[in-house]
């Protein structure tokens, strides 16, 4: 029993210690900056400001315990020289030995990152303000206005000086010693200021020092004859700089095509991994470098990182290799070595674009370097990385780079993988060949192998906007794929494709019911409903009651819905929809008014409109009002002879019909326009003439009935 009590207490104590553990401080070296990461385990309220020798990080209200044992495991001391905890405030202090500045941010709740970047801090940076650290007062006999006595050494007796250096990665600063040196500090400032005013001391600002090849903090002051040296003298050619002022990785450091060859992997694997360690198990740096680079050449990121971790975790190029390994495995990089290098004029532009979904080269030189580096990749890496790059540049509208990458991948030998088929389809759509894209992915979508699910989604997204139908089998397949991906990162895209597929297959009820979870697809559904839905589905979903709510997406299609309602003879429904649209065309509104029996309102709406569609509506409205001659005039302008003569007939203008009308009407109109003269003297002669005229009229009417269709006067 005692044993289990001890075990239980041990577990409780272990869980308590895990919960209340120290904040772990780690650091990594990057081109142009050093990154310090503090992991607190829980969200914290933090503040960063200037300290005595660098920066201080303050946690409110209570300072945690810090674990700084591993800070310098992966970095040197070119920027960060020491970390310690201020015993008075509990602040984490970062001591610097560079012309650099701090740029902190919260990576996620409980993880604070401080980047120590080369150069001068941005203007107005709040992180340059000093933390209000309480200090002990200066010695009572200290007068800050008195000049410093350089003949005496104002230090405590030797026996009183602590053995611990001022700052180390494990010790604490001696505040008494720091404050005892305060008179020296002030005297130096005063004397150097006086020397600068007299021209015997040259002060170099931190921004200038950062730009000078050999500038460090101690060399920022030059005196005497040193002033005669050329301050602009270059120490040799330097690498191009990124926007963060960090050096770009050079091409020879990223020449991945030289890290392997086109022999079989089996033939290369053994020689490339030989001799990793020598006598006494000491790593052979050249052999380890060769092995790590070979793994990266193959695209084996995890294997490369494993070799780095075991053999050369602190090697300078290890930072570069780790980032490349993460990129090849499509994994987020916790310490990106290519941050800000997308505009480098070296292969770094390619890897920076691969590392960050938002980073793209912008200058012509960087774009050229990007394409040059991609084309130089081994064929298998071009095929591995190319599809994602094409997706990226298509999404940002950079057709030039997308096309160039596409052609570079096409030149790489090898079988067509699903990713390459999808890439080709994407490029065909981009180049205006959607039918070719559909043909390419149709077979892949029907298969049961890798990529078939993504291909089916791509197929639906390609063919539905073109009005092409989908099958019930495709809808079933998408439902199964969505079940597998429910809650995953691509579930939303599969859900959207399923909704579109249901609509294109005729299941508009199911599509509209499902779109409630995906409101962004509603506009496409209304477009499909108006264009291709059968009448029963259209009327079910588009018919409105006088107080029915309507969505914003449907209002955008109100004019099209009203036109279809007019065609179905549902004039009241057409009227409801045109009142919802803020931009109803006057011609459509006039048609609705006319269909509702208000012909004069239709004419008033279009009184000054001479467009053909407007003239058509006005002509029909004039006919409805009995103003047939006005209607005939408009039909004559429209070049519609049948409607013109119909209006002339309705107006009773027999002479016009008799003179120029169609042949069947011409004979009848002539009889009506020219009655027979009363020339017969006797009854028999008059009767004979009447019979002859009746026969002629009958023959003309029969001919007319045989040739002329019944006129249509209603508008549709």
């Amino acid at each position: 029993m005692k044993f289990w009590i001890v075990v239980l207490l041990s577990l409780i104590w272990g869980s308590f210690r895990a919960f209340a553990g120290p904040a772990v401080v780690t650091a990594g070296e990057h081109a142009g900056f050093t990154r310090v990461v503090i992991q607190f385990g829980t969200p914290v309220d933090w503040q960063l400001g200037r300290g005595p020798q660098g920066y201080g990080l303050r946690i409110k209200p209570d300072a945690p315990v810090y674990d700084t044992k591993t800070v310098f495991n992966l970095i040197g001391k070119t920027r960060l020289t020491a970390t310690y905890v201020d015993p008075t405030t509990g602040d984490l202090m970062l001591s610097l030995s560079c012309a650099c500045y701090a740029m902190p941010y919260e990576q996620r709740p409980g993880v604070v990152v401080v980047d120590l970047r080369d150069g001068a801090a941005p203007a107005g940076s709040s992180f340059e303000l000093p933390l209000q650290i309480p200090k002990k007062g200066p010695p009572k006999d200290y007068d800050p206005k008195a000049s410093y006595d350089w003949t005496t050494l104002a230090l405590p007796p030797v026996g009183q000086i602590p053995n611990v250096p001022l700052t180390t990665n494990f010790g604490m600063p001696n505040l008494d010693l720091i404050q005892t040196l305060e008179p020296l500090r002030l005297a130096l400032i005063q004397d150097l200021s006086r020397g600068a005013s007299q021209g015997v001391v040259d002060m170099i600002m931190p921004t200038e020092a950062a730009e000078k090849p050999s500038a460090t903090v101690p060399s920022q002051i030059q005196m005497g004859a040193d002033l005669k040296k050329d301050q602009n003298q270059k120490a040799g050619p330097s690498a191009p700089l990124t926007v963060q002022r960090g050096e770009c990785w050079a091409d020879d450091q990223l020449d991945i095509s030289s890290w392997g060859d086109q022999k079989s992997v089996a033939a290369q694997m053994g020689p490339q991994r030989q001799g990793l360690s020598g006598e006494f198990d000491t790593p052979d740096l050249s052999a380890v470098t060769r092995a790590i680079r070979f793994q990266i050449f193959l695209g084996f990121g995890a294997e490369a990182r494993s070799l780095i971790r075991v053999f050369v975790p602190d090697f300078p190029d290890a930072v570069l290799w780790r980032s490349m390994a993460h990129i090849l495995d499509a994994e987020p990089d916790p310490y990106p070595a290519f941050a800000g290098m997308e505009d480098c004029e070296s292969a770094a532009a390619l890897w920076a674009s691969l590392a960050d979904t938002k980073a793209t080269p912008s200058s012509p030189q960087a774009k050229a370097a990007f394409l040059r580096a991609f084309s130089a990749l081994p064929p298998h890496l071009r095929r591995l990385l190319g599809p994602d790059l094409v997706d990226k540049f298509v999404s940002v509208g950079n057709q030039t780079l997308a096309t160039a990458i596409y052609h570079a991948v096409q030149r790489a030998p090898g079988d067509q993988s699903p990713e390459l088929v999808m890439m080709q389809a994407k490029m065909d759509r981009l180049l205006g060949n959607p039918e070719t894209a559909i043909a390419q992915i149709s077979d892949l979508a029907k298969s049961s192998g890798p990529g078939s699910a993504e291909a089916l989604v791509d197929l639906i997204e390609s063919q539905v906007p073109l009005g092409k139908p989908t099958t019930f089998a495709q809808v079933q397949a998408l439902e199964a794929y969505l079940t597998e991906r429910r809650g995953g990162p691509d579930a939303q895209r599969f859900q959207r494709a399923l909704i579109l597929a249901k609509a294109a297959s005729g299941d508009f009820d199911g599509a509209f019911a499902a779109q409630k979870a995906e409101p962004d697809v509603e506009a496409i559904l209304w477009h499909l409903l108006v264009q291709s839905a059968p009448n029963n589905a259209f009327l079910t979903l588009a018919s409105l009651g006088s107080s029915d709510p309507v969505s914003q997406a449907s209002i955008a299609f109100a004019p099209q819905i009203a036109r279809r309602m007019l065609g179905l003879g549902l004039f009241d429904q057409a009227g409801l929809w045109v009142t919802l649209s803020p931009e109803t065309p006057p011609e459509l509104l006039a048609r609705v008014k006319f269909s509702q029996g208000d012909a004069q309102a239709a004419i008033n709406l279009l009184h000054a409109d001479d467009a053909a569609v407007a003239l058509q509506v006005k002509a029909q409205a004039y006919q409805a009002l009995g103003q047939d001659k006005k209607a005939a005039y408009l039909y004559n302008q429209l070049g519609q002879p049948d409607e013109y003569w119909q209006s002339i007939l309705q107006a009773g203008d027999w002479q016009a019909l008799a003179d120029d009308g169609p042949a069947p009407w011409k004979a009848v109109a002539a009889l009506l326009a020219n009655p027979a003269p009363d020339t017969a003297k006797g009854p028999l002669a008059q009767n004979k003439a009447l019979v002859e005229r009746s026969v002629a009229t009958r023959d003309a009417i029969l001919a007319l009935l045989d040739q002329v269709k019944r006129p249509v006067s209603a508008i549709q």
Side-chain angles (χ1 to χ4, degrees), residues 120-259:
S125 173
S126 61
F127 307 119
E128 298 304 304
L129 300 177
L131 289 173
Q132 298 302 317
I133 303 176
K135 298 181 180 180
K136 295 180 182 179
K140 293 181 179 179
D141 57 351
Y142 167 62
D143 180 4
K145 296 181 182 180
S147 61
Y148 186 71
D149 185 2
W150 293 94
T151 62
T152 62
L153 182 61
L155 291 176
V158 176
Q160 299 178 18
I161 298 178
N163 293 325
V164 180
L166 285 180
T167 54
T168 65
N169 64 322
F170 56 86
M172 304 294 183
N174 188 307
L175 293 181
D176 291 332
L177 180 58
I178 291 174
Q179 290 167 16
T180 304
L181 292 172
E182 183 68 8
L184 173 62
R185 187 183 72 85
L186 292 176
L188 282 170
I189 293 174
Q190 293 172 357
D191 289 343
L192 289 172
S193 300
R194 187 179 305 112
S197 67
Q198 296 173 356
V200 296
V201 176
D202 182 21
M203 299 290 190
I204 302 176
M205 297 301 293
T207 52
E208 297 177 278
E211 294 171 358
K212 295 181 183 295
S214 60
T216 61
V217 171
S219 64
Q220 285 182 337
I221 301 171
Q222 297 177 345
M223 295 187 292
D226 291 338
L227 290 176
K228 298 179 181 178
K229 294 182 179 179
D230 182 8
Q231 299 295 331
N232 296 319
Q233 184 179 1
K234 303 296 182 181
S238 59
L241 299 179
T242 68
V243 290
Q244 284 83 11
R245 306 193 61 80
E247 291 187 357
C248 298
W249 295 105
D251 280 329
D252 58 356
Q253 294 175 287
L254 300 168
D255 187 14
I256 195 170
S257 61
S258 67
W259 298 353

Side-chain angles (χ1 to χ4, degrees), residues 16-67:
F16 171 78
R17 290 191 62 187
F19 176 77
V24 179
V25 185
T26 57
E29 205 73 75
H30 300 267
F33 67 96
T34 297
R35 175 162 292 170
V36 181
V37 181
I38 306 98
Q39 303 181 58
F40 295 94
T42 57
V44 293
D45 182 9
W46 58 275
Q47 176 187 3
L48 187 86
R50 274 289 182 179
Q53 302 174 22
Y55 290 87
L57 179 69
R58 178 169 295 172
I59 305 300
K60 300 185 235 181
D62 298 319
V65 175
Y66 290 96
D67 179 2

Side-chain angles (χ1 to χ4, degrees), residues 25-27 68-83 95 168-170 314:
V25 185
T26 57
T68 61
K69 293 189 297 293
T70 62
V71 172
F72 292 94
N73 282 6
L74 300 177
I75 66 172
K77 295 187 178 182
T78 56
R79 298 185 184 91
L80 180 67
T81 57
T83 62
S95 295
T168 65
N169 64 322
F170 56 86
D314 299 326

Side-chain angles (χ1 to χ4, degrees), residues 164-455:
V164 180
L166 285 180
T167 54
T168 65
N169 64 322
F170 56 86
M172 304 294 183
N174 188 307
L175 293 181
D176 291 332
L177 180 58
I178 291 174
Q179 290 167 16
T180 304
L181 292 172
E182 183 68 8
L184 173 62
R185 187 183 72 85
L186 292 176
L188 282 170
I189 293 174
Q190 293 172 357
D191 289 343
L192 289 172
S193 300
R194 187 179 305 112
S197 67
Q198 296 173 356
V200 296
V201 176
D202 182 21
M203 299 290 190
I204 302 176
M205 297 301 293
T207 52
E208 297 177 278
E211 294 171 358
K212 295 181 183 295
S214 60
T216 61
V217 171
S219 64
Q220 285 182 337
I221 301 171
Q222 297 177 345
M223 295 187 292
D226 291 338
L227 290 176
K228 298 179 181 178
K229 294 182 179 179
D230 182 8
Q231 299 295 331
N232 296 319
Q233 184 179 1
K234 303 296 182 181
S238 59
L241 299 179
T242 68
V243 290
Q244 284 83 11
R245 306 193 61 80
E247 291 187 357
C248 298
W249 295 105
D251 280 329
D252 58 356
Q253 294 175 287
L254 300 168
D255 187 14
I256 195 170
S257 61
S258 67
W259 298 353
D261 54 43
Q262 297 307 310
K263 297 177 184 176
S264 67
V265 176
Q268 296 182 74
M269 186 66 74
Q272 293 284 4
R273 294 179 62 91
Q274 285 180 350
L276 295 181
S277 58
E279 190 177 5
F280 307 113
D281 293 330
T282 302
D284 184 325
L285 185 57
S286 62
V288 172
T289 298
R290 183 181 64 245
I292 293 171
R293 287 179 168 181
F294 180 65
Q295 297 297 327
I296 294 174
F297 170 85
L298 295 177
F300 295 170
E303 291 77 2
R305 293 196 304 276
S306 177
L307 289 173
I308 296 169
R309 185 169 54 252
V310 172
F311 290 102
V312 286
D314 299 326
F315 189 62
D317 278 1
V319 175
L320 166 70
W321 297 334
R322 284 193 195 94
S323 285
M324 297 177 75
H326 281 296
I327 291 169
L328 292 172
D329 286 345
E331 296 177 350
D333 186 358
Y335 305 108
F338 298 97
M341 295 188 184
E342 59 271 14
D343 273 325
C344 286
E345 298 176 20
S346 69
L350 167 65
W351 292 94
S353 300
L354 288 166
D356 186 347
T357 57
K358 298 179 180 179
T360 57
S362 58
S363 69
Q365 296 83 357
K367 291 178 181 178
F370 171 96
L371 292 175
R372 187 169 58 249
F374 184 81
S375 297
L377 289 175
H380 61 278
L381 290 186
R382 270 184 276 160
R383 294 162 59 85
L384 173 67
L385 302 173
D388 287 341
L389 282 174
V390 168
D391 285 347
K392 174 178 180 174
F393 288 112
V394 168
S395 65
V396 300
N398 194 327
Q399 180 175 339
T400 302
L401 283 180
T403 304
I405 295 166
Y406 167 72
H407 289 307
V409 174
Q410 289 291 87
R411 291 193 299 269
D415 296 333
Q416 288 288 81
S417 66
E419 292 79 12
L420 294 183
V421 173
M422 300 284 286
M423 180 192 70
Q424 290 174 349
K426 186 178 293 292
M427 287 303 304
D428 281 323
R429 286 194 298 272
L430 179 65
L431 298 174
N433 302 314
E435 296 288 350
T436 305
I438 291 172
Q440 286 177 346
I441 57 178
S442 292
D443 291 339
L444 180 60
K446 295 175 185 177
S447 69
S448 58
S452 59
E454 289 75 13

Side-chain angles (χ1 to χ4, degrees), residues 578-639:
V578 295
T579 59
L580 292 173
S581 175
E583 299 179 355
T584 300
E587 168 266 332
L588 176 60
L589 188 58
R591 284 179 180 274
V592 172
K593 291 291 185 182
F594 178 70
S595 69
Q596 293 174 336
D598 194 347
Q600 188 60 53
I603 293 172
N604 294 340
L605 283 167
L606 302 172
H607 70 283
D609 193 342
D610 293 331
V613 291
L615 294 178
Q616 186 77 37
V617 176
K618 285 192 289 186
Q620 293 172 336
Y622 279 129
Q623 279 185 300
L625 293 173
Q627 301 178 33
D628 295 294
K629 286 195 174 182
K630 290 184 177 180
Y633 173 76
L634 295 178
Y635 283 130
N636 188 49
Q637 281 189 292
L638 290 168

